[in-house]
């Protein structure tokens, strides 16, 4: 079928299965036949008698007939498929036209519904706005008051309820004329009011939250006043939690349409001691989180989605289970349940988010702090602080202040978005009606009245009437909008019913279309199956035909080869027979002349015998050469199999390896000239500003562990020789480990090579050093590993890159005398061992004459025997050129290995020269000095590579193997080179640090800032030098030589250490001078104090002997300046009452010495909180400023230095009180307890709170905690 046909039989998912035997693969090329030459005449049976050509022709004819019938069947099936396609297309066109008509109708109905939704949306928004204005006409903050019933054990009630908005409390104060006091609220509930009636007044706030406003509802009051009952309720009388969510759920269901949707999420948080605890975090950790709090300080808490009231009840129960069972802790903690409301409208694109926060506040009772222990006191302080902060926020909002103190408490921070702005707040005050709780009842009512009375007053009766008229107008407008909204909703319902009818018709038509598609698909499947069977049958017959053709071609090829062999043997026999005839003719001629020339006949006979002997010897030599060629083939096949096994183990990793970017050209690491570079970092280097390199050994914190590195380290360290039987098994195991190392580095890639090699560095070098005495490792693999580390070090050291190495011509020499060797190594007359000078080998650069590697290769002379062999083989003697045999290549490789063993100069050449460039230079040298070798590929053996390529590869392989061979008792040449390069880098870095330290030590200092800078710089250099020396001590894998190599010399740093000690002493002198100058900043000083300052300056002058000469001028100048200032101060006589005056002066100095004051406020439940200012003086002491007496705040502030908690360790309670009497009264009230131990514990916590507020004293707090000075502070 043509490609342009509209019908396609390739149906997705119904392709015929392809077996591995029938997959299309390129035919394997037949293996090349090796021709062997022999003059023997074995009998050959022709195979043409075994093959019947007539039978093959018959089979081919039958296959052609079957193929013809299959093609006819295929054409019939294709025509049936075309007819079926036309029928299906016609039916589908009719159905498609009918569906398009229905789609137009549906689209019109959808458009009408969307237009109706668009009309309704503005009316709904206007309705929400009017409802919110009506609700907030008297302000955004509402206060309700609820009184619980009296218990049986309680006394008389002290509250009355004149109306629904007033509560009257009998204060019992006989000093006033009217002991009853009235409080007005937005709604007052008596003891008889149930939960349902309370929720009736709360319901408008729930509606406001659903309209998009943030709403917060607080339950405030003392413990046992009914807060929790109002919020939670009971099983038979539910509280606000369940009722609010049910109202949200019911109203959202009534307002939800096909284009709008509500989603609800719940978060439950407990606030205890200003710390937020997520009660849902232990339920499911995989739930989404939401941020709660202000932008500066927020907490991520888990929010769980709820779809119905039952889910909401389950979530609340889970949260209550996770809450602490400690009743005391519950009473001093706030519970915040937040319902997050998300609204999406697909028509208008409106996305609203609001939340309803239900807060069960902690008990507001004001207990005496002395009645509780330290932990309960802390809890009560935090509760009072948070409730006071809430009252401040509500007061600020109702009084329309610009600055609202949200940051004073974690409670107000967390609910900052629900307090103020367009949000609405409801405070439900719960009180106890009995006489025993009168004080707490009055405190709660005063707190709530404070928030409520700050609301903007409505004014006189005229103003009230005006507001009522505005409310009535808004209510009337609201009702009109609601009626219009209902009419539009009825219209939308009618449109939805019409749309549903159209959808039903579409479903019926869609079912019919599906049935038609099923019938069509069934027919297509059947046709596809039949087509697959025919195609498979045709393919099978085609494969059989191809097999027969291949067999026929192979047999014909064999017959031709046999004929060719027979012709060659016949020609050989004919040539030998011709020679025999010529010899017989010579013998006959000799017999005829035997009578006259007997001597001549004798010579002819001898010549005939000699010719026969030469012929026989020639045949034997040819047979031996054929056997030798056969053995060489077998050895090559075994070698190829071993190389294939090795390559397959690392083939996948090599395919993924990428060349690094830091080297310009890759180096050859193998005999096949495969360019690859492994740039691994056994050392990490830090680049200095002046271009030098700092060698730093990567520590455990810098080496990144990898699974491959861990496996290789374990395998290398755990390699045990005793687990293997014999040296062959040990060699195989060791070489496999080295190959795994190379494979892991290749797989890591250029970006991560240094990580894995740095990780396994110690294990690799330890393994090589352990295996060297046994001589079982493949030295070429050892060389590859060594070169990896040397090149990584070389790439990061400009000093090493600047090393000049000898050229390759100096390492190669031509043979001067001797004859060419034959292919046999044992009978080689021209082979003589070459001795190389070990001193030249150990040098990196040889300036004088040196012995190079003698390439023992000379042109062969054509002997009579070789001429006969060339003639027998049919080779032209003029075009013949010398070829290098495999035995000769092995000899050259062995000689190159012996030359390279322990040769550091050759190792440096290998490291600094790219492998491709090095082999090219060797090839150029061979071409220049051995012109008798074959150069082109056509002249080479096998037609693959030239003789120069083979020779250069053999020399490179031998050198690589020799450079990795150890020469006991020292390591291999590459290992020695690696150690020498590492030593050079270490020495360079140490000398560089020595130069920097010398420069710094020679610089002078004029003031304290320069002294500090010089001291810091010298300490930094000394730290780096010590770190480098420590790394050198631990770097035994590279710096330890068995032959006792020279150690790395550490340059002397005595002068720099002396200057550093002088700078430290000078810094101490300057600090003491600064303190003396600070004490001298007065106009009048007592004689004794002035004398003490002068004596201190004299002592400092005596300390100058410990300074170096370079630091004397600076110290002398500062001492002279200070002495001049002290002597210029006017002195006065010492007075008996000097103690009190000195104390006053010290306190004044402490006050002026504080650069910044930090203010703390302690809320104790009273109307006026304690305000304490704290700071730090120059002696790192805590200084406070507060009112001398709490009851007299206008009596003036006093400044005192606060003693550390360690001062009170040995004092009793009376002594502690005496110390506190000199401090501000607020501090003593907060710190004093009933016992000395309790006082010390409180004072420790108070000292830590004050000191942590001062940034300069935070380190001091840490030192006191470590030393046990703040052991009473609980973490």
């Amino acid at each position: 079928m043509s490609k342009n046909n509209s019908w396609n039989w390739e149906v997705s998912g119904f392709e015929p299965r392809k077996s591995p035997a029938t997959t299309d693969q390129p035919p394997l090329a037949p293996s090349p036949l090796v021709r062997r030459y022999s003059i023997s005449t074995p009998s050959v049976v022709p195979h043409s008698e075994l093959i019947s050509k007539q039978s093959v022709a018959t089979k081919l004819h039958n296959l052609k007939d079957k193929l013809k019938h299959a093609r006819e069947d295929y054409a019939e099936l294709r025509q049936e498929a075309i007819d079926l396609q036309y029928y299906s297309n016609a039916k589908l066109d009719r159905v498609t036209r009918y569906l398009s008509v229905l789609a137009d109708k549906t689209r019109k109905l959808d458009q009408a519904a969307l237009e109706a939704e668009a009309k309704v949306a503005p009316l709904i928004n206007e309705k929400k706005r009017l409802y919110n204005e009506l609700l907030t006409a008297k302000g955004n903050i509402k206060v309700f008051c609820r009184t619980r019933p009296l218990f049986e054990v309680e006394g008389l009630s002290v509250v009355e309820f004149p109306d629904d908005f007033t509560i009257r409390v009998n204060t019992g104060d006989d000093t006033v004329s009217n002991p009853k006091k009235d409080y007005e609220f937005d709604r007052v509930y008596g003891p008889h009011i149930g939960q349902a009636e309370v929720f009736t007044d709360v319901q408008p706030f729930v509606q406001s939250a659903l309209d998009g406003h943030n709403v917060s509802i607080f339950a405030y009051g003392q413990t046992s006043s009914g807060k929790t009952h109002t919020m939670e309720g009971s099983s038979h009388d539910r509280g606000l939690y369940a009722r609010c969510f049910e109202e949200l759920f019911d109203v959202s269901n009534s307002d939800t349409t096909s284009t709008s949707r509500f989603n609800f999420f719940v978060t439950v948080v407990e606030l205890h001691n200003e710390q937020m605890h997520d009660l849902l975090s232990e339920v499911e950790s995989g739930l989404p989180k939401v941020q709660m709090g202000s932008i500066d300080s927020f907490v991520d808490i888990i929010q769980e989605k709820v779809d119905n009231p039952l889910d909401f009840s389950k979530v609340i129960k889970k949260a209550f289970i996770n809450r602490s069972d400690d009743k005391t802790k519950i009473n001093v903690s706030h519970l915040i349940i937040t319902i997050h409301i998300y609204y999406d409208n697909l028509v208008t694109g409106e996305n609203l988010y609001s939340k309803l926060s239900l807060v069960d506040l902690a008990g507001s009772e004001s207990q005496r702090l002395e009645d509780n222990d330290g932990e309960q006191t802390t809890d009560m302080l935090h509760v009072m602080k948070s409730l006071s902060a809430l009252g401040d926020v509500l007061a600020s909002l109702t009084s329309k202040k610009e600055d609202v103190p949200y940051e004073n408490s974690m409670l107000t921070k967390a609910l900052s978005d629900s307090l103020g702005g367009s949000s609405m707040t409801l405070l439900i005050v719960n009180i106890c009606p009995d006489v025993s709780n009168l004080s707490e009842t009055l405190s709660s009512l005063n707190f709530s009245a404070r928030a409520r009375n700050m609301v903007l007053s409505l004014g006189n009766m005229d103003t009230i009437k005006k507001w009522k008229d505005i409310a009535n107008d808004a209510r009337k407008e609201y009702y009109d909008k609601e009626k219009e909204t209902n009419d539009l909703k009825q219209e939308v319902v009618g449109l939805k019913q019409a749309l549903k009818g159209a959808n039903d018709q579409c479903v019926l038509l869609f079912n019919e279309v599906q049935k038609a598609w099923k019938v069509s698909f069934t027919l297509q499947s059947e046709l596809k199956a039949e087509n697959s069977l025919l195609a498979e049958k045709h393919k099978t017959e085609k494969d059989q035909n191809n097999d027969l053709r291949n067999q026929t071609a192979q047999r014909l090829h064999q017959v031709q080869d046999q004929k060719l062999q027979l012709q060659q043997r016949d020609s050989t026999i004919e040539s030998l027979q011709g020679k025999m005839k010529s010899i017989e003719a010579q013998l006959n001629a000799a017999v005829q002349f035997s009578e006259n020339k007997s001597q001549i006949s004798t010579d002819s006979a001898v010549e005939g015998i000699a010719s026969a002997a030469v012929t026989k010897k020639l045949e034997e030599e040819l047979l031996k050469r054929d056997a030798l060629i056969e053995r060489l083939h077998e050895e090559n096949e075994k070698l190829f199999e071993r190389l294939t096994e090795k390559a397959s183990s690392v083939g996948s990793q090599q395919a993924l390896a990428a060349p690094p970017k830091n080297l310009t050209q890759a180096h050859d690491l193998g005999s096949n000239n495969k360019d690859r570079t492994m740039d691994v970092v056994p050392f990490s280097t830090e680049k200095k500003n002046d271009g030098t390199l700092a060698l730093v050994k990567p520590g455990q914190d810098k080496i990144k562990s990898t699974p491959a590195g861990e496996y290789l380290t374990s395998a290398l360290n755990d390699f045990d020789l005793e687990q293997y039987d014999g040296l062959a098994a040990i060699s195989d195991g060791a070489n496999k480990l080295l190959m795994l190392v190379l494979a892991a580095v290749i797989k890591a890639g250029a970006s991560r090579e240094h990580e894995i090699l740095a990780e396994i560095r110690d294990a690799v070098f330890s393994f090589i050093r352990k295996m060297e005495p046994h001589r079982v490792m493949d030295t070429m693999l050892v060389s590859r590993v060594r070169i990896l580390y040397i090149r990584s070090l070389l790439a990061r050291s400009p000093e090493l890159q600047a090393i000049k190495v000898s050229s390759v011509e100096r390492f190669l020499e031509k043979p001067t005398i001797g004859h060419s060797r034959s292919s046999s190594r044992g009978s080689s007359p021209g082979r003589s061992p070459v001795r190389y000078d070990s001193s030249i080998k150990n040098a990196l650069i040889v300036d004088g004459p040196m012995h190079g590697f003698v390439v023992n290769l000379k042109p062969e002379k054509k002997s009579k025997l070789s001429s006969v062999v060339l003639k027998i083989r049919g080779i032209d003697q003029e075009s013949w050129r010398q070829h290098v045999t495999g035995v000769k290549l092995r000899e050259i490789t062995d000689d190159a290995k012996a030359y390279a063993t322990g040769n550091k100069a050759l190792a440096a050449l290998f490291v600094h020269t790219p492998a491709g460039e090095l082999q090219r230079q060797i090839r150029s040298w061979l071409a220049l000095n051995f012109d008798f070798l074959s150069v082109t590929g056509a002249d080479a053996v096998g037609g693959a590579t030239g003789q120069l390529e083979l020779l250069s590869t053999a020399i490179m392989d031998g050198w690589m193997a020799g450079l990795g061979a150890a020469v006991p008792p020292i390591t291999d040449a590459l290992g020695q080179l690696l150690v020498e390069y590492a030593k050079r880098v270490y020495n360079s870095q140490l000398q560089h640090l020595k130069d920097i330290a010398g420069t710094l030590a020679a610089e002078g200092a004029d003031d304290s800032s320069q002294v500090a800078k010089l001291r810091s710089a010298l300490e930094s250099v000394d730290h780096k030098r010590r770190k480098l020396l420590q790394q050198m001590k631990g770097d035994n894998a590279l710096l330890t030589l068995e032959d006792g190599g020279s150690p790395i010399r550490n340059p002397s740093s005595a002068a720099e250490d002396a200057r550093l000690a002088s700078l430290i002493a000078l810094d101490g002198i300057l600090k003491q001078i600064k303190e003396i100058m600070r004490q001298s900043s007065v106009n009048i000083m007592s004689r004794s104090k002035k004398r003490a300052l002068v004596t201190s300056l004299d002592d400092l002058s005596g300390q100058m002997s410990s300074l170096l000469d370079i630091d004397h001028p600076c110290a002398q100048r500062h001492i002279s300046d200070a002495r001049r200032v002290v002597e210029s101060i006017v002195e006065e006589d010492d007075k008996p009452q000097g103690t009190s005056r000195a104390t006053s002066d010290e306190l004044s100095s402490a006050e002026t010495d504080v650069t910044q004051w930090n203010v703390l406020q302690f809320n104790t439940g009273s109307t006026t909180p304690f305000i304490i200012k704290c700071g730090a003086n120059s002696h790192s002491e805590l200084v406070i400023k507060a009112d001398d007496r709490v009851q007299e705040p206008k009596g003036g502030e006093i400044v005192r230095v606060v003693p550390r908690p360690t001062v009170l360790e040995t004092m009793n309670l009376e002594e502690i009180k005496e110390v506190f009497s000199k401090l501000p009264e607020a501090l003593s009230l907060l710190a004093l307890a009933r016992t000395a131990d309790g006082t010390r514990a409180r004072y420790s916590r108070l000292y830590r709170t004050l000191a942590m507020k001062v940034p300069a004293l935070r380190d001091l707090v840490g030192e006191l905690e470590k030393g046990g000075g703040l052991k009473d502070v609980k973490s």
Side-chain angles (χ1 to χ4, degrees), residues 589-789:
V591 170
Q592 292 178 1
F593 294 97
S594 60
E595 295 178 356
N596 298 326
K597 299 179 180 179
S598 58
Q599 185 65 32
I600 298 174
S601 64
T602 303
D603 296 336
S604 301
V606 172
E607 185 178 358
I609 295 171
S611 300
V614 169
T615 303
K616 185 175 181 181
K617 185 177 181 181
L618 179 61
E619 293 178 356
E620 293 176 355
E621 288 293 334
L622 291 176
L623 290 175
K624 291 180 180 179
R625 190 171 183 86
D626 290 339
L628 179 60
I629 293 172
E630 182 67 23
R631 286 198 302 273
L632 289 175
H633 280 297
E634 293 177 357
E635 292 178 0
N636 289 335
E637 290 177 357
K638 293 179 180 178
L639 179 60
F640 179 76
E641 290 176 358
R642 289 201 302 272
L643 293 175
T644 304
E645 292 175 356
K646 292 181 180 180
S648 62
S649 64
V650 296
S652 59
Q653 292 88 341
Q654 292 176 351
L656 297 175
K661 300 179 180 180
N662 55 355
L663 295 180
T664 57
Q665 185 174 356
H667 287 246
D668 185 12
L669 297 181
S671 60
N672 293 331
N673 194 24
K674 294 181 180 179
D675 295 340
R676 183 180 71 241
T677 301
M678 301 180 185
D679 186 14
V680 187
V681 185
F683 296 91
S684 64
T685 56
E686 299 176 357
K687 194 73 176 177
K688 300 298 180 181
N689 295 331
D690 56 354
T692 60
L693 290 174
L695 185 68
V696 180
K697 179 183 177 182
Q700 294 298 329
D701 55 340
K702 292 184 179 180
I703 297 178
K704 187 176 182 181
S705 177
T706 58
E710 293 177 357
Y711 170 76
L712 290 175
T713 301
S714 176
L716 292 169
N717 292 331
D718 298 342
F719 188 81
D720 189 6
L721 300 176
E722 298 179 356
Q723 296 179 356
Y724 296 89
D725 298 334
L727 292 178
I730 295 174
S731 175
D732 184 61
N735 293 332
K736 285 182 178 179
L737 277 180
L738 292 177
M739 293 179 68
L740 281 177
V741 171
L742 296 175
V745 175
I746 293 172
K747 186 175 181 180
S751 60
R752 294 182 60 251
E753 286 176 354
H754 65 283
E755 296 179 4
I756 187 169
L757 269 180
E759 183 180 359
I760 65 175
R761 179 181 59 86
D762 294 336
V764 168
F765 289 138
S766 177
F767 175 77
I768 293 176
R769 189 164 53 251
K770 179 175 67 175
M771 300 303 298
E772 276 181 351
H774 302 280
R775 296 188 177 184
V776 294
M777 293 185 295
D778 188 349
T779 55
M780 293 185 68
L781 296 177
V782 176
S783 297
R784 294 181 184 182
V785 175
R786 294 284 197 192
I787 289 175
L788 288 178
Y789 285 97

Side-chain angles (χ1 to χ4, degrees), residues 764-1027:
V764 168
F765 289 138
S766 177
F767 175 77
I768 293 176
R769 189 164 53 251
K770 179 175 67 175
M771 300 303 298
E772 276 181 351
H774 302 280
R775 296 188 177 184
V776 294
M777 293 185 295
D778 188 349
T779 55
M780 293 185 68
L781 296 177
V782 176
S783 297
R784 294 181 184 182
V785 175
R786 294 284 197 192
I787 289 175
L788 288 178
Y789 285 97
I790 296 175
R791 286 179 180 165
S792 65
L793 185 62
L794 183 67
R796 287 162 174 80
S797 175
E799 180 186 359
L800 298 181
Q801 294 175 7
I803 295 177
K804 302 296 183 182
V805 297
S806 303
S807 62
V808 71
E809 289 79 4
R810 302 196 65 186
F811 295 93
L812 295 171
E813 288 186 8
K814 287 183 61 177
T816 56
I817 57 175
H819 302 283
S820 176
R821 295 175 293 179
S822 64
S823 61
S824 176
R825 298 184 62 185
S827 61
S828 177
R831 179 175 174 84
S832 59
V834 181
R835 305 288 183 179
Y836 298 104
D837 189 0
S838 60
S839 62
I840 296 178
K841 283 186 175 184
N842 293 331
L844 289 181
I845 305 174
V846 182
D847 297 331
M850 62 177 293
H851 293 288
F853 169 61
V854 179
V855 183
N856 199 353
L857 188 66
K858 297 181 180 179
E860 296 181 358
K861 296 181 179 180
K862 296 181 182 179
S863 61
K864 183 181 295 184
L865 179 62
S866 61
S867 300
V868 173
V869 173
L870 291 175
K871 185 175 181 182
I872 291 175
R873 293 185 175 182
I875 299 176
D876 188 6
Q877 298 185 14
E878 297 298 331
S879 62
W880 176 87
R881 305 189 73 175
Q882 181 175 340
H883 298 292
V884 182
T885 62
V887 177
K888 185 67 177 179
L889 291 175
R890 285 196 295 271
E891 291 178 1
I892 293 175
T893 302
D894 294 340
D895 293 342
K897 179 179 179 182
Y899 173 77
T901 302
N903 196 332
K904 284 200 297 184
L906 183 60
L909 175 67
F910 250 81
V911 171
H912 288 271
T913 307
E917 178 64 20
L918 184 59
Q919 188 167 5
R920 187 190 64 77
Q921 294 177 8
I922 296 173
R923 198 162 51 242
S924 301
W925 185 87
L926 291 174
L928 183 62
N929 293 277
F930 300 99
D931 55 355
F932 55 86
L933 294 175
S934 175
V935 179
T936 60
D939 297 335
V941 177
T945 57
Q947 299 297 296
L948 296 179
E949 187 73 21
L950 293 175
L951 278 174
S952 61
T953 302
I955 294 173
M956 290 281 290
D957 292 346
W959 283 356
M960 178 73 75
L963 292 177
V967 184
I970 61 176
T971 185
D972 54 90
L974 287 170
Q976 299 176 39
L977 184 66
L978 177 59
V979 172
E980 184 170 346
Y981 278 6
K983 286 184 177 181
R984 288 194 180 192
V985 176
Y986 275 126
N987 286 325
S988 175
Q989 181 60 21
L990 288 174
Q991 186 60 38
H992 177 67
L993 294 177
K994 168 69 175 178
D995 296 339
I996 294 176
T999 303
L1000 294 174
E1003 293 184 4
D1006 296 334
D1007 51 15
S1008 58
S1009 62
Q1010 294 184 5
V1011 171
K1013 290 180 181 178
L1014 281 177
R1015 176 183 175 182
S1016 176
L1018 282 173
E1019 288 177 347
S1020 177
V1021 172
D1022 183 68
H1023 173 71
K1024 291 181 180 179
R1025 181 176 61 84
R1026 294 179 184 275
K1027 185 177 179 182

